[in-house]
Amino acid sequence: MRLILLGPPGAGKGTQAERLVERHEIVQLSTGDMLRAAVAAGTEIGLKAKAIMDRGELVPDDVVVGIVADRIEKSDAQKGFILDGFPRTVRQAEALDAMLTQKGLKLDAAVELRVDESILLARIEKRAGETPGGPRADDNAEALKKRLAVYREQTAPLADYFRSKGLLRTVDGMAPVDRVTEEIDRALGVGNEAAGG
Ligand code: AP5
């Protein structure tokens, strides 16, 4: 299975991706996690990305596309993957299309987690308080405001992009976590057997 999770910061992409990984034995490819790892390791990409991420802006398309292109070549991604936080622009979506076409692969679905923006600050603040080793540098009210503006402007249009390809599945991300997981399974046409009962 090859999936995309779409949704604004705090929508629950990472939370649901972790569950999909367990249930469908596919890998989670989170560009946010990969970039944070690069920042922590002090790589060239990390050094470039840090200030951009801290401000809540997007890292340049070519950097992120390069990271994903390398990652989906790895053996653990061959059975399938869930892209969490990628693509985030139409250019990234087109680059992904080109990558998959070249490999003769297709996406199964793009799952959009729809949430009211008004609850996102509370979710981000809660996570900031629970993150081992301290909060992410962008988990604060000011950076969230920017992240949301960027999402609305550059990422939300991807819903139409995937809808036009017949791939969009929209799920209510306001429901409790377990309920969202069930709705995702339903949207993907996956039965209870994937949940182990
Ligand atoms: P990224 O790491 O992708 O962050 P994001 O999209 O802002 O998303 P978050 O990780 O904040 O939220 P989430 O939707 O995963 O929610 P979560 O499950 O954690 O990107 C960070 C930065 O990296 C970007 O700003 C950009 O600079 C850069 N970047 C990354 N990808 C890029 C790309 N492709 N191109 C360019 N730049 C890129 O949940 C949040 C909290 O809510 C948790 O505490 C969770 O427990 C809770 N929660 C989750 N679901 C529920 C629920 N249903 N009910 C109640 N609480 C819930």
Side-chain angles (χ1 to χ4, degrees), residues 7-16 30-33 35-36 52-53 56-59 64 84-88 92 123-124 126-127 130 136 138-139 147 173-177 180:
K13 301 181 298 294
T15 303
Q16 295 301 328
S30 159
T31 41
D33 286 349
L35 288 165
R36 280 185 288 277
I52 299 172
M53 293 172 73
E57 294 169 8
L58 293 185
V59 174
V64 194
D84 159 11
F86 180 93
R88 254 176 155 97
Q92 291 180 17
R123 284 197 188 175
I124 291 293
K126 179 171 166 279
R127 182 177 61 192
E130 291 170 350
R136 274 166 49 172
D138 60 350
D139 271 354
R147 288 157 67 195
M174 299 292 286
V177 173
V180 177

Side-chain angles (χ1 to χ4, degrees), residues 4-8 38 45 71 73 85 101 112 115 118 120 128 133 163 166 179 185-186 190 193:
I4 287 173
L5 275 182
L6 276 179
I45 286 178
R71 187 63 186 83
E73 288 297 330
T101 303
E112 178 193 31
V115 286
S118 56
L120 296 177
R163 187 179 291 114
R179 185 67 199 282
D185 275 349
R186 200 168 305 135
V190 176
E193 69 279 8

Side-chain angles (χ1 to χ4, degrees), residues 55-56 140-152:
R55 287 196 300 271
N140 55 69
E142 195 188 338
L144 178 65
K145 203 168 155 200
K146 182 69 189 174
R147 288 157 67 195
L148 282 171
V150 168
Y151 182 81
R152 272 183 235 120

